[in-house]
Amino acid sequence: MATSGLSETAPNTPCIRPESSPSVRLQVARLAYDGMPLFEHLELALTAGETTCLLGPSGVGKTTILRLLAGLQPLADGDRMEASDGSALTGRVAYLEQRGLLLPWLPVLDNVLLGARLRGEFRDADRARELLRRLGLQGQAGSMPATLSGGMRQRVALARTLMEDRPVILMDEPFSALDAVTRYQLQALTADLFRSRTVLLVTHDPAEAVRLGHRILILKGRPARLTPPLCPPGTPPRDPTSPVELACGKSLMRSLGMVQNPC
Amino acid sequence: MLNVPWCSRFLRGLIILVGLLALWQVLVWLTGVPPYILPSPVRVVQALMNNGGLIGRHLGVTLTEILAGLICGTVLGVGAALMVGYFRPARRWLMPVLVASQAIPVFAIAPLLVLWLGYGMASKVAMATLIIFFPVTAAFLDGLRRTEPGWVDLARTMTAGVGGAPPEGNRLRILLYIRTPAALPALASGLRVAAAVAPIGAVVGEWVGSSAGLGYLMLHANGRMQVDLMFAALLALSVVSLTLWFALDAALRRLLPWQPDLFSETQQERAS
């Protein structure tokens, strides 16, 4: 599986992609918690090979959408989830969340190889080392997670996500526990690493959405609704300090109710 | 560097021990109780030295029973917890049995065990095994049930086959590679309890019926009013139990270095 895509790999694409990333469509007829409807007739589309950012206040259901897509929460009757290539999404998503979820008893290399170990597959340590090197973690393969900084741990989690080599990547606020400088570096790295994969990035930070999203959606209200997608010009990672991006961020902040006075 | 906290810990233990012994000696002096009621520590040490070989021989028997019981109880307890944690039917059928087994006091069935397994070591090993089986099972099972949900979610996305639920082999690997290591700190708590209570099982077994062991020796010394010998045997038993506990505790700390430990002295110093 890993070798079949090697020849197609462009020189600056750091990872091998065995299949092209499909677009994904999720339709939820109705989802309620304790009788309170969370979603009604919600429809979310992820465009193929692009990063879709999902913004919204906490508790609005962003993580629920992500869990539905990841197959961690079952779909109800009448709900639909489909990929553009016709096959099911199960087994084709990689999942990364804010805490990174490294196993504290395994050294870095074994954490990166976790998926292969859990599936009883061959553990390609060479490829894992190569990914660690690309993520600036050379020499850390034998370190224990507790000895690493938060930023390094999240890099390891990124390496583990890349090692899975899935066409669809789901990320739940992956940088929110990091300091500003580390976050900025990792955003650029992520945009580069996951280029041309179908990515859903759940975030609460409008600047992050403007930096990384090909398309930006806002989820708000109850039952929650999605706003029409905002597509900032240019390709990610964008410079968050340029005037166009600043204006974009401001309009997002207005939509989220963070700025009262439109100017 | 590493030796300093260990040294101070040892010193503190020594001071506590000497303090208690001094208190004991003073109590004997002040009250003037006869030595067949409460011998002074000096007499106990004398008895220990005079009967070194005798105590050593019986200590060997008891220690073997304790260790064999610890091994059997741990193996059975870990196995039972893994079964209950993995097979859903096992959960339904085995859990009530486990709880019921704990409702029967082990001491009450000691005579039965001696009747069935004889005066030798087997009945004492069975006692020690029974007494530690439940704490080990309960602690480990508790750990298996409380795996960080994020890890399980991650593993589920990693192992999801096409069509939904992960294949059985993957479920087993999630149990072995994620849930079991994650539950090891909980198992370690169970083992610490086990190390503390295993000697009770062995000695009670010896009291009920035996021809060797510290429990047997103490019973006989008591019957012959050799209270100093009884205390000497008790002292030997306590030293062995304490050594066992501390050795196990140290081993568990070494084996699980990733487990956060607020009581560990080195971490305390780092925090302050």
Side-chain angles (χ1 to χ4, degrees):
Chain A
M1 206 169 140
T3 47
S4 65
L6 251 176
S7 52
E8 305 156 16
T9 310
N12 65 341
T13 311
C15 212
I16 311 143
R17 280 194 318 113
E19 48 184 326
S20 63
S21 301
S23 65
V24 174
R25 220 153 62 97
L26 172 74
Q27 285 176 297
V28 183
R30 189 186 146 83
L31 198 148
Y33 277 126
D34 299 328
M36 279 283 282
L38 193 59
F39 307 139
E40 252 166 20
H41 308 296
L42 183 93
E43 184 169 338
L44 171 86
L46 307 180
T47 41
E50 288 189 347
T51 298
T52 304
C53 287
L54 185 59
L55 275 168
S58 44
V60 78
K62 301 189 296 287
T63 299
T64 305
I65 288 182
L66 192 131
R67 291 179 64 84
L68 287 169
L69 285 165
L72 294 172
Q73 197 168 316
L75 290 169
D77 291 336
D79 294 351
R80 290 177 62 186
M81 187 163 73
E82 52 195 20
S84 57
D85 53 10
S87 6
L89 211 56
T90 21
R92 293 202 293 161
V93 297
Y95 167 71
L96 175 65
E97 65 122 274
Q98 154 184 18
R99 291 170 297 163
L101 295 172
L102 300 184
L103 300 178
W105 58 86
L106 289 181
V108 163
L109 186 70
D110 288 321
N111 262 295
V112 175
L113 292 166
L114 180 68
R117 173 184 272 203
L118 288 179
R119 290 185 297 270
E121 293 171 0
F122 167 66
R123 276 173 269 165
D124 190 349
D126 290 339
R127 188 162 158 254
R129 275 180 218 281
E130 170 62 14
L131 282 173
L132 285 173
R133 197 188 58 74
R134 278 181 203 277
L135 283 157
L137 290 165
Q138 54 268 56
Q140 299 289 354
S143 310
M144 297 307 277
T147 64
L148 304 178
S149 68
M152 283 160 99
R153 279 203 291 272
Q154 206 61 356
R155 278 167 199 259
V156 177
L158 275 172
R160 184 191 60 204
T161 312
L162 279 167
M163 192 71 198
E164 288 300 285
D165 205 14
R166 303 281 174 93
V168 180
I169 312 277
L170 305 171
M171 293 193 280
D172 195 358
E173 300 188 1
F175 313 117
S176 60
L178 304 173
D179 65 273
V181 177
T182 312
R183 189 185 311 150
Y184 193 77
Q185 291 168 343
L186 280 195
Q187 282 168 349
L189 194 62
T190 306
D192 194 37
L193 293 168
F194 294 148
R195 177 160 303 168
S196 72
R197 281 170 209 257
T198 305
V199 177
L200 176 66
L201 175 67
V202 167
T203 175
H204 56 234
D205 178 6
E208 183 168 285
V210 172
R211 188 136 196 256
L212 293 178
H214 292 91
R215 293 162 73 249
I216 301 167
L217 304 169
I218 296 176
L219 188 68
K220 58 179 179 180
R222 188 166 265 259
R225 303 220 167 260
L226 283 167
T227 57
L230 178 83
C231 307
T235 49
R238 299 185 187 88
D239 174 8
T241 56
S242 80
V244 182
E245 273 76 39
L246 279 176
C248 232
K250 200 169 263 179
S251 99
L252 285 175
M253 286 167 84
R254 215 160 26 236
S255 308
L256 287 164
M258 292 163 81
V259 183
Q260 296 302 329
N261 261 344
C263 40
Chain B
M1 271 300 273
L2 264 174
N3 275 338
V4 175
W6 191 86
C7 248
S8 73
R9 219 167 107 189
F10 181 73
L11 212 69
R12 220 178 304 141
L14 204 70
I15 291 170
I16 292 172
L17 184 72
V18 170
L20 285 175
L21 285 177
L23 195 71
W24 179 0
Q25 184 75 52
V26 167
L27 200 70
V28 170
W29 275 335
L30 285 182
T31 56
V33 283
Y36 57 84
I37 301 287
L38 181 67
S40 69
V42 177
R43 278 187 80 114
V44 172
V45 172
Q46 273 167 355
L48 189 66
M49 304 232 270
N50 294 340
N51 301 289
L54 180 76
I55 291 177
R57 203 166 58 243
H58 288 287
L59 181 66
V61 173
T62 304
L63 186 61
T64 312
E65 290 162 1
I66 292 172
L67 290 177
L70 264 179
I71 292 169
C72 293
T74 305
V75 168
L76 288 176
V78 167
L82 284 176
M83 287 260 288
V84 173
Y86 185 65
F87 296 109
R88 236 156 260 145
R91 206 167 308 162
R92 243 168 273 139
W93 292 99
L94 211 60
M95 268 317 272
V97 179
L98 284 180
V99 175
S101 80
Q102 200 52 19
I104 305 165
V106 183
F107 306 113
I109 59 166
L112 264 181
L113 289 176
V114 173
L115 181 71
W116 289 340
L117 300 172
Y119 268 55
M121 269 195 198
S123 54
K124 286 81 197 170
V125 173
M127 274 292 288
T129 304
L130 275 178
I131 209 168
I132 72 163
F133 172 71
F134 192 77
V136 170
T137 312
F140 192 34
L141 191 59
D142 220 40
L144 287 175
R145 274 157 56 170
R146 279 167 228 282
T147 317
E148 154 71 50
W151 290 336
V152 180
D153 285 347
L154 180 71
R156 278 173 64 196
T157 61
M158 282 174 162
T159 57
V162 179
E168 277 306 292
N170 290 344
R171 241 190 95 214
L172 185 65
R173 277 189 288 267
I174 291 178
L175 178 75
L176 288 181
Y177 297 141
I178 293 187
R179 293 176 61 203
T180 299
L184 287 183
L187 174 63
S189 314
L191 289 180
R192 287 189 182 100
V193 175
V197 298
I200 301 176
V203 169
V204 168
E206 286 166 1
W207 280 346
V208 171
S210 64
S211 49
L214 282 180
Y216 166 82
L217 184 68
M218 284 163 75
L219 210 60
H220 274 254
N222 200 23
R224 278 181 265 141
M225 297 292 254
Q226 295 171 311
V227 182
D228 49 356
L229 178 62
M230 202 185 114
F231 267 91
L234 191 63
L235 186 68
L237 183 69
S238 318
V239 168
V240 162
S241 303
L242 278 175
T243 311
L244 188 70
W245 195 90
F246 279 112
L248 187 81
D249 186 55
L252 290 173
R253 274 172 208 271
R254 262 195 110 88
L255 288 171
L256 305 170
W258 45 270
Q259 175 196 8
D261 187 350
L262 290 178
F263 287 174
S264 138
E265 314 232 343
T266 46
Q267 286 201 5
Q268 259 174 27
E269 273 153 28
R270 214 181 301 153
S272 60

